[in-house]
Amino acid sequence: MRKHNRVTAYIHMDAIEQNFRVMRENLRDGVRMMAVIKTDGYGHGAVPIARMLEDHDYIWGYAVAAVSEARALREAGIAKPILVLGYTFAEDYAWMAEHGVRPTIFTVEMAREFGLAAAGVSVVSADASDSPVPGVEKRQFPVHLAVDTGMSRIGIADTREGLNTALSIAETDSVFIEGVFTHFARADEKDKSAARAQAARFCAFCDQLEEAGVCGFLRHCSNSAGILELPEANMDLVRAGITIYGIYPSDEMDRETNRLCPVMELKSHVVYCKKIPAGTPVSYGGTFVSGHEMEVATIPVGYGDGYPRSLSNKGSVLIHGKRAKILGRVCMDQMMVDVTGMDVKVLDEVTLMGKDGADEITVDELGGLSGRFPYEFVCDIGKRVPRVYCDM
Ligand SMILES: *Cc1c(COP(=O)(O)O)cnc(C)c1O
């Protein structure tokens, strides 16, 4: 491993295991988990995380947002089921069917197109070739139905008409409904009444499907917030996202009951130190001007790495366990911080996010200061920031 990078994202794999332990304490025995690793594992790296989870029995499979993400996982040898949570295009259906990648279906047309593409596939993944219906020899390919119970995003409406749509999908050639799911809009709020109402609507819809003869599908409803705080929504499967990475879905979540461990730390090194006299402007636009003589350190990190420019004159970093404030604008690749009286030298370690000594910069702090949602903050850490996996 290199000793120095401009900036490195350290990914603590033991913290991921710890976060799964915390989540599982909230699950009934037998409830399995789908690890949501879209956006390259919320910026943490989907492949290494999936590799670590492959042999965990409680992991049913993975969820991603794009077929390209599923492809990267299959190319890396990840074998468990993968669900694409959003819309997928018909031109990808043959590949998906062949590789056990489940589409999310919410119209009869999507089901037909998927069934047609799947029927023409020669090589079939193990789980797709199992016909779920005894006596039915035809190959059947798994899909998941999205039901809209309150997001108004994608999904079949939970109405009589929606039920008819679901029944038509169930009868589509080459397709079987392996899972039915819905998504919470407000499970991260203190008041869970909206989420409970969604769960109830979802259960009612699933019950009607079963009464109409569609059976044996997996119900899944909970996201991270539901896993932590809505035990009645743990059905057959839950979809764990942000909590894998040690981040709370919102600041209304109870942090005492469920103690998550942050997974990502962002570290850099000082690359230049200098003194500036009073009256010296710092960075583009001269938005900061020193009021007195100062010691200034340059850090080789900027918005090109996903470190937000909105932290200009606002954020701080940790050096020797102490806060050093950002001076002036964050540039694309560099920024300056105030290290007056801190005895800082070139190549000293800089913590942009994470712990140094007794102090810690959390993703919530950075998100709050920069006007970004914590989910967004980690997703936006750039491609050019190497991820280094530790504690495996
Ligand atoms: C992103 C996503 C999740 C995971 O949400 P978290 O809040 O990160 O747990 C679960 N289900 C669906 C449908 C999603 O789009």
Side-chain angles (χ1 to χ4, degrees):
M1 202 201 303
R2 292 174 55 88
K3 210 157 138 223
H4 298 104
N5 289 313
R6 291 176 54 251
V7 50
T8 305
Y10 291 96
I11 308 300
H12 296 284
M13 299 304 253
D14 54 338
I16 294 184
E17 295 273 21
Q18 171 60 25
N19 295 329
F20 271 104
R21 275 193 288 277
V22 169
M23 285 188 270
R24 292 183 68 210
E25 277 168 18
N26 293 285
L27 299 181
R28 259 185 301 105
D29 279 350
V31 176
R32 296 180 80 202
M33 307 182 77
M34 200 183 288
V36 182
I37 51 176
K38 58 194 181 188
T39 318
D40 203 15
Y42 294 46
H44 294 66
V47 166
I49 294 171
R51 281 212 176 107
M52 184 178 83
L53 298 175
E54 271 291 87
D55 57 1
H56 290 16
D57 270 348
Y58 61 85
I59 301 288
W60 174 85
Y62 311 97
V64 295
V67 174
S68 58
E69 296 178 308
R71 210 179 273 275
L73 291 168
R74 287 290 183 250
E75 278 166 7
I78 300 301
K80 287 196 185 205
I82 300 174
L83 170 65
V84 181
L85 293 167
Y87 180 78
T88 45
F89 297 90
E91 59 204 270
D92 293 316
Y93 287 167
W95 182 86
M96 293 173 74
E98 203 168 323
H99 291 85
V101 175
R102 283 77 164 148
T104 288
I105 298 285
F106 42 92
T107 66
V108 177
E109 294 68 46
M110 290 177 83
R112 284 206 188 113
E113 296 220 47
F114 183 73
L116 278 175
V121 172
S122 52
V123 189
V124 184
S125 78
D127 45 19
S129 60
D130 291 338
S131 171
V133 186
V136 175
E137 294 300 312
K138 228 175 0 186
R139 290 184 322 199
Q140 307 257 30
F141 292 79
V143 304
H144 288 228
L145 293 194
V147 183
D148 182 8
T149 59
M151 273 290 281
S152 303
R153 187 168 68 177
I154 55 169
I156 299 167
D158 64 336
T159 57
R160 173 125 301 269
E161 201 186 330
L163 188 67
N164 288 335
T165 302
L167 294 175
S168 302
I169 293 170
E171 281 162 11
T172 304
D173 276 351
S174 306
V175 162
F176 81 94
I177 299 176
E178 178 186 50
V180 180
F181 73 98
T182 196
H183 190 50
F184 285 136
R186 304 174 63 177
D188 58 338
E189 296 175 8
K190 206 170 196 99
D191 176 356
K192 303 288 188 220
S193 51
R196 287 211 175 88
Q198 275 193 270
R201 282 170 65 172
F202 176 64
C203 283
F205 187 82
C206 290
D207 290 346
Q208 286 171 37
L209 258 181
E210 286 178 352
E211 281 155 25
V214 181
C215 293
F217 56 84
L218 300 164
R219 295 183 187 201
H220 49 109
C221 176
S222 269
N223 54 3
S224 296
I227 293 169
L228 296 185
E229 298 192 347
L230 214 63
E232 67 266 42
N234 299 334
M235 299 175 188
D236 300 313
L237 271 179
V238 294
R239 302 186 304 274
I242 197 73
T243 36
I244 298 176
Y245 314 101
I247 299 171
Y248 290 89
S250 80
D251 50 19
E252 290 183 36
M253 302 286 295
D254 173 6
R255 291 170 193 231
E256 298 303 314
T257 321
N258 293 294
R259 292 192 175 270
L260 301 174
C261 278
V263 171
M264 187 194 288
E265 290 195 291
L266 270 183
K267 304 261 184 181
S268 178
H269 293 91
V270 171
V271 294
Y272 190 48
C273 290
K274 62 182 168 298
K275 278 199 171 100
I276 57 170
T280 310
V282 178
S283 195
Y284 291 118
T287 59
F288 177 85
V289 180
S290 56
H292 50 82
E293 186 185 79
M294 293 177 92
E295 292 169 64
V296 172
T298 303
I299 318 295
V301 179
Y303 60 81
D305 303 294
Y307 192 82
R309 185 170 178 274
S310 54
L311 290 175
S312 299
N313 285 311
K314 270 196 202 161
S316 54
V317 301
L318 297 173
I319 305 177
H320 305 167
K322 293 203 197 79
R323 297 258 163 177
K325 289 205 64 166
I326 295 173
L327 302 176
R329 288 194 185 138
V330 172
C331 311
M332 190 185 292
D333 320 295
Q334 309 181 70
M335 63 184 180
M336 279 63 80
V337 299
D338 179 7
V339 293
T340 305
M342 289 171 62
D343 193 26
V344 165
K345 299 175 305 300
V346 167
L347 297 190
D348 281 356
E349 189 181 73
V350 176
T351 301
L352 301 144
M353 180 165 76
K355 283 188 187 149
D356 180 12
D359 206 349
E360 179 176 6
I361 296 179
T362 63
V363 68
D364 291 315
E365 173 182 340
L366 291 167
L369 273 179
S370 62
R372 277 193 194 175
F373 186 44
Y375 285 65
E376 195 187 347
F377 193 91
V378 281
C379 283
D380 284 355
I381 298 301
K383 271 207 190 69
R384 79 178 180 193
V385 178
R387 271 65 170 174
V388 171
Y389 297 87
C390 16
D391 309 311
M392 295 180 74

PDB file of all heavy atoms in Angstrom, residues 77-102:
ATOM      1  N   GLY A  77     -17.615 -11.680  -9.885  1.00  0.00           N
ATOM      2  CA  GLY A  77     -17.863 -13.017  -9.348  1.00  0.00           C
ATOM      3  C   GLY A  77     -18.894 -13.072  -8.244  1.00  0.00           C
ATOM      4  O   GLY A  77     -19.053 -14.107  -7.588  1.00  0.00           O
ATOM      5  N   ILE A  78     -19.616 -11.988  -8.031  1.00  0.00           N
ATOM      6  CA  ILE A  78     -20.661 -11.988  -6.999  1.00  0.00           C
ATOM      7  C   ILE A  78     -21.843 -12.814  -7.514  1.00  0.00           C
ATOM      8  O   ILE A  78     -22.363 -12.552  -8.594  1.00  0.00           O
ATOM      9  CB  ILE A  78     -21.098 -10.543  -6.684  1.00  0.00           C
ATOM     10  CG1 ILE A  78     -19.910  -9.721  -6.178  1.00  0.00           C
ATOM     11  CG2 ILE A  78     -22.257 -10.529  -5.696  1.00  0.00           C
ATOM     12  CD1 ILE A  78     -19.223 -10.239  -4.940  1.00  0.00           C
ATOM     13  N   ALA A  79     -22.259 -13.816  -6.723  1.00  0.00           N
ATOM     14  CA  ALA A  79     -23.210 -14.814  -7.240  1.00  0.00           C
ATOM     15  C   ALA A  79     -24.625 -14.705  -6.685  1.00  0.00           C
ATOM     16  O   ALA A  79     -25.559 -15.208  -7.293  1.00  0.00           O
ATOM     17  CB  ALA A  79     -22.664 -16.209  -6.961  1.00  0.00           C
ATOM     18  N   LYS A  80     -24.807 -14.078  -5.549  1.00  0.00           N
ATOM     19  CA  LYS A  80     -26.156 -14.040  -4.957  1.00  0.00           C
ATOM     20  C   LYS A  80     -27.101 -13.222  -5.842  1.00  0.00           C
ATOM     21  O   LYS A  80     -26.651 -12.441  -6.672  1.00  0.00           O
ATOM     22  CB  LYS A  80     -26.086 -13.411  -3.562  1.00  0.00           C
ATOM     23  CG  LYS A  80     -25.450 -14.323  -2.532  1.00  0.00           C
ATOM     24  CD  LYS A  80     -25.754 -13.853  -1.123  1.00  0.00           C
ATOM     25  CE  LYS A  80     -24.976 -14.735  -0.157  1.00  0.00           C
ATOM     26  NZ  LYS A  80     -25.574 -14.812   1.154  1.00  0.00           N
ATOM     27  N   PRO A  81     -28.408 -13.379  -5.615  1.00  0.00           N
ATOM     28  CA  PRO A  81     -29.376 -12.605  -6.385  1.00  0.00           C
ATOM     29  C   PRO A  81     -29.122 -11.095  -6.300  1.00  0.00           C
ATOM     30  O   PRO A  81     -28.661 -10.606  -5.261  1.00  0.00           O
ATOM     31  CB  PRO A  81     -30.716 -12.942  -5.721  1.00  0.00           C
ATOM     32  CG  PRO A  81     -30.506 -14.256  -5.064  1.00  0.00           C
ATOM     33  CD  PRO A  81     -29.065 -14.292  -4.651  1.00  0.00           C
ATOM     34  N   ILE A  82     -29.422 -10.421  -7.400  1.00  0.00           N
ATOM     35  CA  ILE A  82     -29.325  -8.955  -7.429  1.00  0.00           C
ATOM     36  C   ILE A  82     -30.659  -8.424  -7.940  1.00  0.00           C
ATOM     37  O   ILE A  82     -31.190  -8.917  -8.940  1.00  0.00           O
ATOM     38  CB  ILE A  82     -28.201  -8.475  -8.373  1.00  0.00           C
ATOM     39  CG1 ILE A  82     -26.834  -9.015  -7.917  1.00  0.00           C
ATOM     40  CG2 ILE A  82     -28.166  -6.941  -8.452  1.00  0.00           C
ATOM     41  CD1 ILE A  82     -25.690  -8.715  -8.884  1.00  0.00           C
ATOM     42  N   LEU A  83     -31.193  -7.435  -7.245  1.00  0.00           N
ATOM     43  CA  LEU A  83     -32.414  -6.760  -7.684  1.00  0.00           C
ATOM     44  C   LEU A  83     -32.046  -5.348  -8.136  1.00  0.00           C
ATOM     45  O   LEU A  83     -31.334  -4.638  -7.422  1.00  0.00           O
ATOM     46  CB  LEU A  83     -33.415  -6.688  -6.519  1.00  0.00           C
ATOM     47  CG  LEU A  83     -34.660  -5.810  -6.722  1.00  0.00           C
ATOM     48  CD1 LEU A  83     -35.559  -6.364  -7.834  1.00  0.00           C
ATOM     49  CD2 LEU A  83     -35.464  -5.696  -5.415  1.00  0.00           C
ATOM     50  N   VAL A  84     -32.535  -4.965  -9.316  1.00  0.00           N
ATOM     51  CA  VAL A  84     -32.385  -3.569  -9.742  1.00  0.00           C
ATOM     52  C   VAL A  84     -33.642  -2.835  -9.288  1.00  0.00           C
ATOM     53  O   VAL A  84     -34.746  -3.155  -9.723  1.00  0.00           O
ATOM     54  CB  VAL A  84     -32.188  -3.450 -11.268  1.00  0.00           C
ATOM     55  CG1 VAL A  84     -32.016  -1.982 -11.662  1.00  0.00           C
ATOM     56  CG2 VAL A  84     -30.974  -4.265 -11.711  1.00  0.00           C
ATOM     57  N   LEU A  85     -33.470  -1.876  -8.405  1.00  0.00           N
ATOM     58  CA  LEU A  85     -34.613  -1.255  -7.721  1.00  0.00           C
ATOM     59  C   LEU A  85     -35.446  -0.323  -8.592  1.00  0.00           C
ATOM     60  O   LEU A  85     -36.597  -0.053  -8.264  1.00  0.00           O
ATOM     61  CB  LEU A  85     -34.110  -0.452  -6.513  1.00  0.00           C
ATOM     62  CG  LEU A  85     -33.498  -1.259  -5.373  1.00  0.00           C
ATOM     63  CD1 LEU A  85     -32.767  -0.325  -4.416  1.00  0.00           C
ATOM     64  CD2 LEU A  85     -34.569  -2.045  -4.631  1.00  0.00           C
ATOM     65  N   GLY A  86     -34.854   0.189  -9.663  1.00  0.00           N
ATOM     66  CA  GLY A  86     -35.577   1.173 -10.474  1.00  0.00           C
ATOM     67  C   GLY A  86     -35.994   0.597 -11.816  1.00  0.00           C
ATOM     68  O   GLY A  86     -36.029  -0.617 -12.020  1.00  0.00           O
ATOM     69  N   TYR A  87     -36.319   1.479 -12.728  1.00  0.00           N
ATOM     70  CA  TYR A  87     -36.725   1.077 -14.079  1.00  0.00           C
ATOM     71  C   TYR A  87     -35.526   0.481 -14.809  1.00  0.00           C
ATOM     72  O   TYR A  87     -34.392   0.939 -14.644  1.00  0.00           O
ATOM     73  CB  TYR A  87     -37.229   2.312 -14.835  1.00  0.00           C
ATOM     74  CG  TYR A  87     -37.683   1.991 -16.245  1.00  0.00           C
ATOM     75  CD1 TYR A  87     -38.921   1.396 -16.468  1.00  0.00           C
ATOM     76  CD2 TYR A  87     -36.865   2.271 -17.330  1.00  0.00           C
ATOM     77  CE1 TYR A  87     -39.336   1.090 -17.750  1.00  0.00           C
ATOM     78  CE2 TYR A  87     -37.272   1.965 -18.625  1.00  0.00           C
ATOM     79  CZ  TYR A  87     -38.511   1.379 -18.828  1.00  0.00           C
ATOM     80  OH  TYR A  87     -38.915   1.075 -20.090  1.00  0.00           O
ATOM     81  N   THR A  88     -35.781  -0.534 -15.601  1.00  0.00           N
ATOM     82  CA  THR A  88     -34.719  -1.078 -16.452  1.00  0.00           C
ATOM     83  C   THR A  88     -35.234  -1.106 -17.888  1.00  0.00           C
ATOM     84  O   THR A  88     -36.444  -1.157 -18.123  1.00  0.00           O
ATOM     85  CB  THR A  88     -34.344  -2.511 -16.021  1.00  0.00           C
ATOM     86  OG1 THR A  88     -35.543  -3.254 -15.800  1.00  0.00           O
ATOM     87  CG2 THR A  88     -33.511  -2.505 -14.760  1.00  0.00           C
ATOM     88  N   PHE A  89     -34.305  -1.081 -18.839  1.00  0.00           N
ATOM     89  CA  PHE A  89     -34.666  -0.985 -20.250  1.00  0.00           C
ATOM     90  C   PHE A  89     -34.678  -2.368 -20.883  1.00  0.00           C
ATOM     91  O   PHE A  89     -33.854  -3.225 -20.545  1.00  0.00           O
ATOM     92  CB  PHE A  89     -33.674  -0.062 -20.964  1.00  0.00           C
ATOM     93  CG  PHE A  89     -33.717   1.339 -20.423  1.00  0.00           C
ATOM     94  CD1 PHE A  89     -32.898   1.724 -19.363  1.00  0.00           C
ATOM     95  CD2 PHE A  89     -34.616   2.261 -20.930  1.00  0.00           C
ATOM     96  CE1 PHE A  89     -32.963   2.998 -18.827  1.00  0.00           C
ATOM     97  CE2 PHE A  89     -34.689   3.547 -20.402  1.00  0.00           C
ATOM     98  CZ  PHE A  89     -33.863   3.919 -19.358  1.00  0.00           C
ATOM     99  N   ALA A  90     -35.607  -2.549 -21.811  1.00  0.00           N
ATOM    100  CA  ALA A  90     -35.805  -3.867 -22.426  1.00  0.00           C
ATOM    101  C   ALA A  90     -34.520  -4.405 -23.047  1.00  0.00           C
ATOM    102  O   ALA A  90     -34.290  -5.617 -23.039  1.00  0.00           O
ATOM    103  CB  ALA A  90     -36.921  -3.787 -23.467  1.00  0.00           C
ATOM    104  N   GLU A  91     -33.673  -3.522 -23.546  1.00  0.00           N
ATOM    105  CA  GLU A  91     -32.450  -4.018 -24.185  1.00  0.00           C
ATOM    106  C   GLU A  91     -31.512  -4.734 -23.192  1.00  0.00           C
ATOM    107  O   GLU A  91     -30.597  -5.427 -23.599  1.00  0.00           O
ATOM    108  CB  GLU A  91     -31.712  -2.889 -24.920  1.00  0.00           C
ATOM    109  CG  GLU A  91     -31.317  -1.743 -24.042  1.00  0.00           C
ATOM    110  CD  GLU A  91     -31.148  -0.435 -24.837  1.00  0.00           C
ATOM    111  OE1 GLU A  91     -30.037  -0.184 -25.308  1.00  0.00           O
ATOM    112  OE2 GLU A  91     -32.136   0.329 -24.976  1.00  0.00           O
ATOM    113  N   ASP A  92     -31.730  -4.555 -21.909  1.00  0.00           N
ATOM    114  CA  ASP A  92     -30.904  -5.246 -20.903  1.00  0.00           C
ATOM    115  C   ASP A  92     -31.537  -6.543 -20.393  1.00  0.00           C
ATOM    116  O   ASP A  92     -30.912  -7.276 -19.622  1.00  0.00           O
ATOM    117  CB  ASP A  92     -30.673  -4.323 -19.693  1.00  0.00           C
ATOM    118  CG  ASP A  92     -29.822  -3.113 -20.047  1.00  0.00           C
ATOM    119  OD1 ASP A  92     -28.802  -3.304 -20.747  1.00  0.00           O
ATOM    120  OD2 ASP A  92     -30.169  -1.996 -19.631  1.00  0.00           O
ATOM    121  N   TYR A  93     -32.779  -6.814 -20.795  1.00  0.00           N
ATOM    122  CA  TYR A  93     -33.509  -7.912 -20.168  1.00  0.00           C
ATOM    123  C   TYR A  93     -32.876  -9.282 -20.400  1.00  0.00           C
ATOM    124  O   TYR A  93     -32.842 -10.113 -19.485  1.00  0.00           O
ATOM    125  CB  TYR A  93     -34.977  -7.915 -20.606  1.00  0.00           C
ATOM    126  CG  TYR A  93     -35.796  -6.795 -19.986  1.00  0.00           C
ATOM    127  CD1 TYR A  93     -37.056  -6.483 -20.478  1.00  0.00           C
ATOM    128  CD2 TYR A  93     -35.317  -6.059 -18.904  1.00  0.00           C
ATOM    129  CE1 TYR A  93     -37.824  -5.466 -19.911  1.00  0.00           C
ATOM    130  CE2 TYR A  93     -36.064  -5.048 -18.347  1.00  0.00           C
ATOM    131  CZ  TYR A  93     -37.320  -4.749 -18.848  1.00  0.00           C
ATOM    132  OH  TYR A  93     -38.058  -3.747 -18.281  1.00  0.00           O
ATOM    133  N   ALA A  94     -32.372  -9.535 -21.619  1.00  0.00           N
ATOM    134  CA  ALA A  94     -31.790 -10.863 -21.874  1.00  0.00           C
ATOM    135  C   ALA A  94     -30.582 -11.074 -20.951  1.00  0.00           C
ATOM    136  O   ALA A  94     -30.459 -12.123 -20.302  1.00  0.00           O
ATOM    137  CB  ALA A  94     -31.385 -10.991 -23.339  1.00  0.00           C
ATOM    138  N   TRP A  95     -29.751 -10.063 -20.871  1.00  0.00           N
ATOM    139  CA  TRP A  95     -28.572 -10.195 -20.000  1.00  0.00           C
ATOM    140  C   TRP A  95     -28.988 -10.396 -18.537  1.00  0.00           C
ATOM    141  O   TRP A  95     -28.442 -11.252 -17.823  1.00  0.00           O
ATOM    142  CB  TRP A  95     -27.650  -8.963 -20.111  1.00  0.00           C
ATOM    143  CG  TRP A  95     -26.430  -9.123 -19.259  1.00  0.00           C
ATOM    144  CD1 TRP A  95     -25.262  -9.749 -19.605  1.00  0.00           C
ATOM    145  CD2 TRP A  95     -26.289  -8.730 -17.880  1.00  0.00           C
ATOM    146  NE1 TRP A  95     -24.401  -9.758 -18.528  1.00  0.00           N
ATOM    147  CE2 TRP A  95     -24.999  -9.138 -17.456  1.00  0.00           C
ATOM    148  CE3 TRP A  95     -27.121  -8.078 -16.961  1.00  0.00           C
ATOM    149  CZ2 TRP A  95     -24.526  -8.913 -16.172  1.00  0.00           C
ATOM    150  CZ3 TRP A  95     -26.647  -7.860 -15.676  1.00  0.00           C
ATOM    151  CH2 TRP A  95     -25.369  -8.267 -15.286  1.00  0.00           C
ATOM    152  N   MET A  96     -29.981  -9.647 -18.122  1.00  0.00           N
ATOM    153  CA  MET A  96     -30.427  -9.763 -16.726  1.00  0.00           C
ATOM    154  C   MET A  96     -30.944 -11.172 -16.438  1.00  0.00           C
ATOM    155  O   MET A  96     -30.584 -11.790 -15.429  1.00  0.00           O
ATOM    156  CB  MET A  96     -31.527  -8.735 -16.432  1.00  0.00           C
ATOM    157  CG  MET A  96     -31.024  -7.301 -16.466  1.00  0.00           C
ATOM    158  SD  MET A  96     -32.361  -6.096 -16.307  1.00  0.00           S
ATOM    159  CE  MET A  96     -32.749  -6.237 -14.572  1.00  0.00           C
ATOM    160  N   ALA A  97     -31.785 -11.681 -17.345  1.00  0.00           N
ATOM    161  CA  ALA A  97     -32.365 -13.017 -17.139  1.00  0.00           C
ATOM    162  C   ALA A  97     -31.251 -14.060 -17.072  1.00  0.00           C
ATOM    163  O   ALA A  97     -31.277 -14.964 -16.224  1.00  0.00           O
ATOM    164  CB  ALA A  97     -33.330 -13.334 -18.271  1.00  0.00           C
ATOM    165  N   GLU A  98     -30.284 -13.894 -17.947  1.00  0.00           N
ATOM    166  CA  GLU A  98     -29.191 -14.850 -18.009  1.00  0.00           C
ATOM    167  C   GLU A  98     -28.349 -14.848 -16.731  1.00  0.00           C
ATOM    168  O   GLU A  98     -27.754 -15.845 -16.374  1.00  0.00           O
ATOM    169  CB  GLU A  98     -28.314 -14.453 -19.195  1.00  0.00           C
ATOM    170  CG  GLU A  98     -27.482 -15.547 -19.757  1.00  0.00           C
ATOM    171  CD  GLU A  98     -26.888 -15.095 -21.097  1.00  0.00           C
ATOM    172  OE1 GLU A  98     -27.572 -14.381 -21.852  1.00  0.00           O
ATOM    173  OE2 GLU A  98     -25.740 -15.454 -21.351  1.00  0.00           O
ATOM    174  N   HIS A  99     -28.288 -13.719 -16.062  1.00  0.00           N
ATOM    175  CA  HIS A  99     -27.384 -13.579 -14.919  1.00  0.00           C
ATOM    176  C   HIS A  99     -28.095 -13.484 -13.574  1.00  0.00           C
ATOM    177  O   HIS A  99     -27.486 -13.082 -12.574  1.00  0.00           O
ATOM    178  CB  HIS A  99     -26.468 -12.372 -15.123  1.00  0.00           C
ATOM    179  CG  HIS A  99     -25.487 -12.589 -16.229  1.00  0.00           C
ATOM    180  ND1 HIS A  99     -25.794 -12.338 -17.549  1.00  0.00           N
ATOM    181  CD2 HIS A  99     -24.245 -13.100 -16.221  1.00  0.00           C
ATOM    182  CE1 HIS A  99     -24.759 -12.658 -18.303  1.00  0.00           C
ATOM    183  NE2 HIS A  99     -23.795 -13.131 -17.522  1.00  0.00           N
ATOM    184  N   GLY A 100     -29.357 -13.856 -13.528  1.00  0.00           N
ATOM    185  CA  GLY A 100     -30.048 -13.851 -12.234  1.00  0.00           C
ATOM    186  C   GLY A 100     -30.195 -12.459 -11.650  1.00  0.00           C
ATOM    187  O   GLY A 100     -30.237 -12.288 -10.433  1.00  0.00           O
ATOM    188  N   VAL A 101     -30.270 -11.457 -12.518  1.00  0.00           N
ATOM    189  CA  VAL A 101     -30.475 -10.078 -12.055  1.00  0.00           C
ATOM    190  C   VAL A 101     -31.955  -9.772 -12.216  1.00  0.00           C
ATOM    191  O   VAL A 101     -32.493  -9.820 -13.325  1.00  0.00           O
ATOM    192  CB  VAL A 101     -29.601  -9.090 -12.854  1.00  0.00           C
ATOM    193  CG1 VAL A 101     -29.901  -7.648 -12.451  1.00  0.00           C
ATOM    194  CG2 VAL A 101     -28.120  -9.411 -12.627  1.00  0.00           C
ATOM    195  N   ARG A 102     -32.628  -9.509 -11.097  1.00  0.00           N
ATOM    196  CA  ARG A 102     -34.076  -9.345 -11.098  1.00  0.00           C
ATOM    197  C   ARG A 102     -34.462  -7.924 -11.445  1.00  0.00           C
ATOM    198  O   ARG A 102     -33.994  -6.982 -10.788  1.00  0.00           O
ATOM    199  CB  ARG A 102     -34.652  -9.628  -9.708  1.00  0.00           C
ATOM    200  CG  ARG A 102     -34.763 -11.092  -9.326  1.00  0.00           C
ATOM    201  CD  ARG A 102     -33.456 -11.702  -8.943  1.00  0.00           C
ATOM    202  NE  ARG A 102     -33.679 -12.964  -8.234  1.00  0.00           N
ATOM    203  CZ  ARG A 102     -32.874 -13.995  -8.285  1.00  0.00           C
ATOM    204  NH1 ARG A 102     -31.749 -13.964  -9.001  1.00  0.00           N
ATOM    205  NH2 ARG A 102     -33.149 -15.092  -7.595  1.00  0.00           N
TER     206      ARG A 102
END
